[in-house]
Amino acid sequence: MPSVAELIAALPEPAEMPEVAREAPMSPLLEAWSQRPVPVGRFRRLRMLGTLQAQIAAAYTFYWLRGWFKGADENKRLLAETNWRTAMRVLDSMSYLRGAVMKVGQTLANFPDVAPREFVETFEQLHFDAPPMHWSLLKEMVFNELADDPENVFASFENRAFAAASLGQVHAARLKSGEQVAVKIQYPGIARTIRQDIRNLMALMLPARLSRDWENAKEQLDDLRIRLERETDYERETAALQKCRALFREDDGIVVPQVFPEFSTGRVLTMERLGGVHLEEFLATNPSQELRNEFAKKILRSWYRMLFAGRVLYVDFHPGNFLFMDDGRLGVIDFGFMLEMDDTLWELMRKVDRPLTTGRRDDRLAAMKEWSWIGDDPADADRLRLSDEYADWSWRARYCGGPFDFGDEADFRRGVDLFTQMVRKRYTRSRPCTPSIARQLFGFRSILYRLKAKIDVAPIAEEEVRAAGWDRSDYAPPR
Amino acid sequence: MRVTAEAKNATRNQILNVAQKQFAQRGFEATTTRDIARAANIGVGTLFNYFPTKESIVDWLVGDACRQAAEAFSAESNNGGQSDAPPSDSATQIARPASLEEDLFSHIAATMRKLKPYRKYLPAALETSLSPLALDQPDGKPSLRATHLETVSRIMSQHGQHEALSAIALQLYWTLYTGVLAFWAKDSSPKQEDTLALLDQSLAMFVGWLSDSNHSKSASTAPKYTSGDER
């Protein structure tokens, strides 16, 4: 009969974490915001689901057994390692989240306090494919949601998806009334799974709860969980589409698709199918600088119109969410991830408008102190300096006085480096919405970088900010 | 007085309709055979001539639904499988053939649509007519398990799986299928969407495992097992 020590020695070691190649700072960012492929190849990931719980149970069993023979400090190390490996397995099983995993990764990247740096960096580079829905499953989803089979609800319905949604897929169809539509269908049960998996992740990070940044991290992860849940609520997205569509006039040259509520539910969203191509295809036509700039202006205007007139931030600045139409119009699609401005955030936006308009450093410092809760403590001096440099990089296009070259690679890299420095030095503790705003900004800058756009931001900003109704008389330029 | 077959059918249908209403109003556990007989305006003894227990009522309802689903599938197969086939891909104008996973999913989903009115008291049938231990019925008709697996075998054959499934494969499939039904019976998610995800992932695992097993078999020199073989 072997002793317990011999049994422990005979236990297999938990599997090693997958190696992830480290790449230059630019490519993960651009890759992260590159066009999503239609999902393929899911059996390997699905096979993982069946064994995940067993692996987690085994990992903790091994830890418990080893812990009998270890000292207290070693126990802590083992627990941390077990948590880390388990978290990695939970993350790896979240294959359906794809874009949402990127969003979680960006949040966690702000908090090296609560996760090892290697974990965070690995997380940022993970890319997953969502499980595709075959025709039989799709048919049942439509039957459940719209009370009949797709071939009876629609005049025609394409069996192959033409685009991926972050938690489902999109099919072309035609209504019996003749309209060409895009039908977005969500993978069943995904909302609940997200909620549970993020709760699991937060539980795994509990050992870090004594850290001073834990409460803030928890708040931001909670905020993210709520927003991810919203993204799975297509009824909410329907309302956002209807609200934002009403913000644009025909002469804006910006189109938000019409939604068809009678063919939409919490899990199925039917909207007007716009023509046009995505960024990659548009760039492949070798468009003129003038055309690039025109589209860049429309992208900027769409952001500002929704923000100042709609009081909502379009967070998901992803190339797949914009359509470059043949007639020069810009199509804006996917309204799943929107940040509503509550009164507190709206007031902060109002205060940030001053340095954005004036470009003055003292205005910027005052705004940064308030936004990020930075005091006058000399210990915070470096944090304030770096925050100011980052804010200047973020806002310079608005107050530089003339066209700004968004295609300047050195400038883009500088922004990435500044943000990375802030993360590494743990200076990113601030409002819960900060990860969403950072994501939005880098998404926007990434698209305009790829467009090599050179546009004057200020006139568009000055036109659109009027809708906010703020009193800017003491700092804004005269009309 | 001789009761005609027609009258017998009418009484049987009346009992079935009344029983469903009683189950819906009181819940399956709380409903007694006396309740059903009273609501149907028949004596308990008469009821017992048709259905000795309330579980046998559920067995009949479930069995009838499963048979309808199997007959519909059989009819579609004979018509070239057009009804449930995916619509044409407009890019190619050719109907894309369904995969094995899709066809199995389609068959089970169609069965579940027929079973939907009886979802909440399906557990009663899972212990009797849908149980892995269920024998052929007293009237000599094959068990629901045998009927369902015959359809599954036909689907497999249409996808090139002409060899009989092994005893292990059959048991694994039946376990997954009845597991999904058991989950569905208690699924409180909106429109039981969690069951769709479970069915999708279960079939993906089963078909993937089957594919791996077939690859191993073709490479292996070990003797093959078929249903009925003893190890």
Side-chain angles (χ1 to χ4, degrees):
Chain A
M1 180 72 164
S3 66
V4 177
E6 283 166 333
L7 279 173
I8 288 172
L11 283 171
E13 284 296 318
E16 291 301 322
M17 285 202 321
E19 286 199 18
V20 180
R22 303 290 169 101
E23 296 181 66
M26 284 295 289
S27 49
L29 282 170
L30 290 179
E31 196 179 356
W33 284 294
S34 65
Q35 194 168 342
R36 299 176 190 126
V38 176
V40 292
R42 55 194 265 255
F43 178 62
R44 268 187 77 210
R45 294 253 176 241
L46 285 174
R47 199 150 52 173
M48 273 264 340
L49 284 173
T51 59
L52 178 65
Q53 292 308 317
Q55 287 181 40
I56 291 174
Y60 282 109
T61 303
F62 299 155
Y63 160 71
W64 174 66
L65 283 172
R66 288 202 299 272
W68 282 6
F69 301 93
K70 302 288 182 182
D73 286 341
E74 186 65 8
N75 268 358
K76 258 193 199 169
R77 185 187 69 79
L78 284 175
L79 182 61
E81 280 183 12
T82 302
N83 275 354
W84 187 8
R85 288 197 184 90
T86 308
M88 285 307 302
R89 293 201 185 98
V90 171
L91 290 167
D92 198 38
S93 79
M94 292 160 80
S95 59
Y96 40 79
L97 284 184
R98 201 176 36 192
V101 170
M102 295 304 298
K103 291 167 192 169
V104 174
Q106 284 149 25
T107 292
L108 288 179
N110 287 342
F111 300 102
D113 280 341
V114 298
R117 186 168 62 158
E118 291 80 2
F119 170 87
V120 166
E121 287 177 347
T122 304
F123 198 148
E124 279 177 322
Q125 299 199 42
L126 289 172
H127 297 277
F128 302 108
D129 291 325
M133 286 184 277
H134 53 66
W135 174 248
S136 301
L137 172 58
L138 209 80
K139 186 174 156 173
E140 288 311 299
M141 278 301 290
V142 172
F143 183 85
N144 271 2
E145 295 294 318
L146 300 182
D148 208 340
D149 290 323
E151 53 266 33
N152 296 331
V153 174
F154 301 95
S156 68
F157 194 99
E158 292 285 321
N159 62 342
R160 284 187 195 276
F162 73 87
S166 60
L167 298 160
Q169 57 203 55
V170 190
H171 290 250
R174 188 165 54 84
L175 298 181
K176 289 180 178 176
S177 46
E179 293 91 336
Q180 301 284 350
V181 293
V183 184
K184 185 159 79 165
I185 301 164
Q186 196 177 111
Y187 190 84
I190 205 88
R192 238 173 337 282
T193 310
I194 288 175
R195 203 181 304 134
Q196 263 174 301
D197 282 349
I198 292 185
R199 268 203 206 113
N200 287 343
L201 268 177
M202 288 171 71
L204 287 164
M205 289 172 195
L206 269 179
R209 68 188 178 279
L210 296 177
S211 150
R212 68 188 169 103
D213 279 336
W214 167 247
E215 282 307 316
N216 203 237
K218 187 168 162 298
E219 204 176 304
Q220 294 210 19
L221 278 172
D222 243 340
D223 179 72
L224 189 69
R225 178 181 53 79
I226 290 164
R227 293 194 196 289
L228 283 173
E229 284 181 11
R230 286 181 187 177
E231 195 170 323
T232 58
D233 181 355
Y234 287 176
E235 278 170 345
R236 182 179 285 272
E237 187 172 347
T238 295
L241 270 159
Q242 289 172 318
K243 175 182 174 176
C244 292
R245 179 174 165 85
L247 294 174
F248 296 96
R249 303 178 301 268
E250 201 172 316
D251 59 355
D252 288 323
I254 298 167
V255 187
V256 173
Q258 180 189 359
V259 71
F260 296 92
E262 61 273 38
F263 301 107
S264 301
T265 65
R267 303 284 183 261
V268 173
L269 179 56
T270 300
M271 60 196 142
E272 175 190 3
R273 182 153 43 106
L274 302 179
V277 296
H278 292 296
L279 181 62
E280 281 293 341
E281 284 179 72
F282 172 69
L283 292 174
T285 64
N286 198 21
S288 65
Q289 186 65 52
E290 188 185 344
L291 190 55
R292 291 166 186 258
N293 289 348
E294 282 307 306
F295 274 118
K297 286 180 190 171
K298 290 186 171 79
I299 290 170
L300 178 70
R301 191 180 291 281
S302 68
W303 165 19
Y304 282 165
R305 181 70 57 84
M306 286 189 272
L307 175 60
F308 295 122
R311 215 168 123 157
V312 68
L313 185 68
Y314 186 89
V315 177
D316 212 0
F317 260 82
H318 180 283
N321 293 345
F322 294 95
L323 286 167
F324 297 78
M325 300 168 77
D326 289 342
D327 57 7
R329 290 184 300 162
L330 175 78
V332 184
I333 59 177
D334 200 333
F335 284 71
F337 203 150
M338 308 293 284
L339 181 65
E340 291 92 19
M341 302 275 152
D342 60 19
D343 290 344
T344 305
L345 191 49
W346 190 240
E347 178 60 13
L348 280 169
M349 286 291 178
R350 185 187 71 76
K351 290 180 180 175
V352 158
D353 183 62
R354 177 188 286 270
L356 266 163
T357 307
T358 64
R360 288 202 297 263
R361 188 163 185 262
D362 51 351
D363 289 337
R364 224 168 32 243
L365 289 172
M368 283 297 98
K369 280 181 174 180
E370 180 155 6
W371 187 283
S372 301
W373 302 303
I374 302 173
D376 292 320
D377 189 336
D380 282 334
D382 185 63
R383 184 172 170 213
L384 187 60
R385 175 197 62 78
L386 195 51
S387 298
D388 175 52
E389 280 188 49
Y390 175 67
D392 180 47
W393 174 82
S394 302
W395 301 340
R396 176 163 290 275
R398 178 125 167 225
Y399 49 70
C400 64
F404 183 85
D405 184 4
F406 285 95
D408 183 343
E409 180 170 339
D411 181 72
F412 192 96
R413 277 187 180 274
R414 186 168 162 269
V416 172
D417 289 343
L418 284 168
F419 188 72
T420 307
Q421 279 185 60
M422 288 178 68
V423 169
R424 289 193 192 285
K425 290 184 176 185
R426 305 171 189 183
Y427 287 167
T428 48
R429 178 173 61 91
S430 69
R431 310 279 165 175
C433 60
T434 301
S436 296
I437 290 176
R439 174 185 169 85
Q440 185 269 342
L441 175 67
F442 276 106
F444 169 74
R445 291 295 292 259
S446 173
I447 293 174
L448 264 60
Y449 166 77
R450 291 178 69 189
L451 278 171
K452 305 292 181 217
K454 292 183 180 70
I455 59 170
D456 193 347
V457 172
I460 298 173
E462 285 303 310
E463 277 175 37
E464 298 296 333
V465 76
R466 283 178 219 146
W470 296 327
D471 180 5
R472 306 167 74 239
S473 53
D474 61 336
Y475 63 88
R479 286 195 203 175
Chain B
M1 179 174 121
R2 264 186 89 199
V3 181
T4 63
E6 212 174 75
K8 275 187 181 172
N9 279 338
T11 304
R12 183 179 294 113
N13 289 337
Q14 183 191 1
I15 293 169
L16 291 170
N17 288 337
V18 158
Q20 286 182 72
K21 286 188 184 127
Q22 291 291 304
F23 293 154
Q25 280 168 14
R26 299 167 183 265
F28 179 77
E29 295 300 326
T31 303
T32 64
T33 47
R34 195 174 292 277
D35 295 330
I36 296 169
R38 194 180 301 126
N41 287 325
I42 58 175
V44 172
T46 305
L47 172 64
F48 287 164
N49 286 339
Y50 291 88
F51 299 105
T53 60
K54 62 182 179 180
E55 285 78 7
S56 62
I57 294 176
V58 172
D59 282 345
W60 177 280
L61 291 169
V62 167
D64 192 47
C66 290
R67 264 186 295 276
Q68 284 181 40
E71 280 164 14
F73 177 80
S74 190
E76 279 167 25
S77 295
N78 292 337
N79 288 337
Q82 289 305 307
S83 308
D84 274 341
S88 306
D89 180 340
S90 66
T92 62
Q93 297 300 312
I94 297 169
R96 184 181 61 82
S99 65
L100 171 59
E101 199 181 315
E102 282 184 72
D103 275 345
L104 286 173
F105 186 102
S106 187
H107 174 52
I108 296 173
T111 306
M112 287 167 69
R113 284 199 197 181
K114 294 284 184 197
L115 287 173
K116 194 160 183 183
Y118 323 124
R119 182 175 72 90
K120 292 202 174 155
Y121 35 91
L122 207 52
L126 285 166
E127 291 180 20
T128 54
S129 54
L130 290 172
S131 162
L133 304 173
L135 300 171
D136 286 349
Q137 298 174 69
D139 56 6
K141 286 184 186 164
S143 67
L144 286 183
R145 178 173 187 256
T147 306
H148 182 92
L149 290 177
E150 191 190 313
T151 307
V152 168
S153 297
R154 210 175 316 136
I155 294 172
M156 299 275 194
S157 178
Q158 285 169 357
H159 286 275
Q161 175 100 20
H162 299 295
E163 276 187 38
L165 283 178
S166 68
I168 290 175
L170 285 170
Q171 190 59 39
L172 180 62
Y173 171 83
W174 189 251
T175 306
L176 281 173
Y177 172 62
T178 51
V180 169
L181 291 182
F183 182 91
W184 181 50
K186 301 289 184 190
D187 186 359
S188 58
S189 64
K191 297 169 189 170
Q192 291 78 57
E193 58 178 356
D194 285 356
T195 300
L196 285 184
L198 178 65
L199 178 59
D200 177 44
Q201 290 166 25
S202 299
L203 285 175
M205 282 169 60
F206 175 71
V207 170
W209 170 81
L210 205 63
S211 172
D212 282 356
S213 301
N214 286 342
H215 287 145
S216 311
K217 259 194 225 170
S218 60
S220 155
T221 54
K224 294 180 183 179
Y225 292 99
T226 54
S227 176
D229 281 2
E230 289 185 10
R231 302 187 76 164

